[in-house]
Amino acid sequence: MSRQRRDEAYDVVVVGGGPAGVAAATAAAESGKRVGLIDESPWLGGQIWRGEAERPHSEKARRWLKRLEAAGVTVRVGVSVVGGDGAGWLVAEDRRGAWRIGYEALILATGARDRFLPFPGWTAPHVMGVGGLQTLVKSGWPVAGKRVAIVGSGPLLWALAEGVTAAGGVVVVLAEQASWESVRRFGAGLIRYPAKLVQAIGLRARLAGVPYWCGWWPAVTRSEGDWAVVTVTDGTSRRELKCDLVAFGFGLVPNLELARLLGCGTRDEPGWEGVEVGLDQETGLSGVYAAGEATGVKGAEAALVEGRVAGYAAAGRRAEAEALYGLRDRWRRFGAMLAQAFALRAELKTLADDDTIVCRCEDVTYGRLRTWRTAREAKLMTRCGMGPCQGRVCGAACRFLWSWEPDRVRPPATVARLETLMELGTGGNGG
């Protein structure tokens, strides 16, 4: 049965309710614009501020969410943007149906997701992504008494270790693939960011009993009854640990599907993927801006500043946007330092064997993929990237393994009901 269309229109539409999206929507609304904020999750705050709207723990998150509410922003959560024309319309759907959302200016604050790299056993029971386990822990999933191995790369490993420990779990190892020298240089560089330095010192103190191994990475995992056994290596030696859960992740990769679908230019350099933007966060499309992790992974502070720049620029408040350029550039330098410190080592390209699954949606192995030259060829011959996640997991892995360019994004930008496409009569792209 057809559902009623609910078209809406705003001066500024923000897609993504994390720190960048919240800051962008607030800045635009406080500038007198009618603002709509859309997020596919059932909460505001993204992963970093997950649950803060209901149970505030972070003073910064509480202030921003309260400021957003006071600004009069129309918030739509549990809504997926499935397409758009890049020139004034988006196509969205929720559990009640589909509709179009009109805008004068659009801000993409679509965030980032875990980067997974394949190794034998990474799809086994008891093994999950860092972000996935962090979400479960924040949602109250019981980890008390469980032994957890956290492996991969980047500061999110520490954030998860803190969450697991606070919830009563036991972190048996925190294995970081970056070298001790890289991590030490990063730590020394924090002297230029006093708040980050204090945060890092406090975190290390709270996790004083957690073994921290730099220059080690996962080689293989296997199940032994109710246990997971993870083997980590430094390239010459191996160590085996028995635990209840293995959480792994190799940093973050920006969510660029909607930006690419709309026609925004993107860059895909190692360690620095993102939407290309100008000084005021505007993309190559007039009236379309991007902010936060979508422009490159730099952390919450950079996301908040970029969001404000984009919000003010979208509202025509150029002076306010320009006043933030210096602060934004400072946090961009922090992002560059982060990317350099935790750059992925070449050895990670050799972890998988021919039987290792790379595309878990379609069960495509490393052995079936390594003979192809491009993502397009691999998709046509193996269906790699054609499953429900549409390459969100295997795409980033294949780019790291073989330097494949991203395949062309086609509508819809995310999983959508056939009813949505039929009811709109647009093929899902708002045209």
Side-chain angles (χ1 to χ4, degrees):
M1 183 172 65
S2 178
R3 304 180 186 184
Q4 185 176 3
R5 282 265 299 274
R6 298 165 289 146
D7 290 359
E8 299 177 2
Y10 302 91
D11 298 323
V12 179
V13 169
V14 180
V15 180
V22 168
T26 301
E30 289 177 346
S31 300
K33 298 298 183 179
R34 292 178 299 112
V35 180
L37 175 60
I38 305 167
D39 196 283
E40 64 182 359
S41 300
W43 63 82
L44 278 181
Q47 288 297 330
I48 193 167
W49 287 348
R50 180 186 173 93
E52 293 290 343
E54 290 76 30
R55 301 184 304 277
H57 296 97
S58 162
E59 178 61 23
K60 182 178 292 185
R62 187 192 67 80
R63 287 199 312 268
W64 272 105
L65 292 171
K66 186 174 181 179
R67 187 173 164 184
L68 176 80
E69 182 180 7
V73 174
T74 300
V75 176
R76 299 278 186 253
V77 294
V79 175
S80 298
V81 175
V82 301
D85 63 0
W89 285 98
L90 296 174
V91 180
E93 73 167 21
D94 63 8
R95 59 183 177 80
R96 296 176 294 168
W99 73 102
R100 294 192 187 189
I101 301 174
Y103 61 84
E104 295 296 324
L106 172 65
I107 300 174
L108 302 175
T110 47
R113 59 183 181 269
D114 280 345
R115 184 195 304 274
F116 299 115
L117 299 179
F119 58 91
W122 75 283
T123 61
H126 312 294
V127 183
M128 63 182 70
V130 167
L133 183 55
Q134 189 175 42
T135 296
L136 290 173
V137 171
K138 286 186 175 183
S139 300
W141 191 65
V143 293
K146 293 186 181 296
R147 292 167 54 83
V148 182
I150 302 174
V151 297
S153 193
L156 288 183
L157 305 187
W158 284 92
L160 175 59
E162 182 180 36
V164 168
T165 303
V170 178
V171 179
V172 298
V173 71
L174 199 164
E176 166 61 59
Q177 62 87 38
S179 68
W180 274 113
E181 183 59 32
S182 290
V183 174
R184 277 196 293 266
R185 282 199 303 267
F186 177 74
L190 292 180
I191 195 70
R192 298 190 294 274
Y193 304 88
K196 285 290 187 183
L197 180 60
V198 171
Q199 182 183 13
I201 292 172
L203 186 58
R204 191 67 185 98
R206 291 190 294 275
L207 298 175
V210 173
Y212 183 46
W213 300 349
C214 288
W216 289 79
W217 56 92
V220 63
T221 63
R222 68 178 191 276
S223 296
E224 285 188 3
D226 293 334
W227 293 96
V229 179
V230 58
T231 301
V232 296
T233 181
D234 64 354
T236 56
S237 304
R238 289 192 168 211
R239 298 179 184 178
E240 195 172 86
L241 301 111
K242 184 177 288 189
C243 50
D244 295 283
L245 296 167
V246 178
F248 79 103
F250 295 89
L252 298 173
V253 57
N255 294 317
L256 302 179
E257 289 74 22
L258 181 58
R260 286 178 174 144
L261 180 62
L262 296 178
C264 300
T266 60
R267 63 185 183 279
D268 194 35
E269 304 165 11
W272 203 252
E273 304 96 332
V275 181
E276 293 181 333
V277 294
L279 282 176
D280 58 1
Q281 301 296 134
E282 191 170 24
T283 71
L285 296 179
S286 178
V288 179
Y289 302 79
E293 310 290 57
T295 67
V297 175
K298 301 173 290 296
E301 288 79 5
L304 286 168
V305 180
E306 287 191 352
R308 290 162 64 195
V309 171
Y312 285 132
R317 302 277 293 273
R318 300 289 172 173
E320 286 85 347
E322 291 174 2
L324 293 168
Y325 286 179
L327 182 60
R328 180 192 59 189
D329 291 346
R330 179 171 182 267
W331 285 113
R332 284 182 173 178
R333 289 191 293 273
F334 174 80
M337 188 172 75
L338 194 69
Q340 182 179 26
F342 298 101
L344 300 180
R345 60 176 61 235
E347 290 94 329
L348 299 176
K349 296 183 179 183
T350 65
L351 296 181
D353 57 31
D354 279 355
D355 295 326
T356 302
I357 295 290
V358 176
C359 174
R360 62 191 308 170
C361 293
E362 296 291 329
D363 288 335
V364 184
T365 62
Y366 180 92
R368 292 178 60 198
L369 289 172
R370 61 183 173 84
T371 58
W372 305 111
R373 296 171 300 172
T374 67
R376 181 72 173 164
E377 285 184 358
K379 178 182 286 189
L380 289 172
M381 302 306 296
T382 70
R383 291 188 55 83
C384 178
M386 295 183 69
C389 90
Q390 288 292 285
R392 284 168 172 78
V393 174
C394 62
C398 290
R399 288 198 294 278
F400 175 73
L401 292 172
W402 298 295
S403 301
W404 289 352
E405 294 294 325
D407 197 20
R408 184 166 64 91
V409 176
R410 297 176 178 175
T414 188
V415 176
R417 292 186 296 266
L418 181 60
E419 178 193 37
T420 298
L421 308 183
M422 293 176 63
E423 187 172 284
L424 292 170
T426 63
N429 66 356

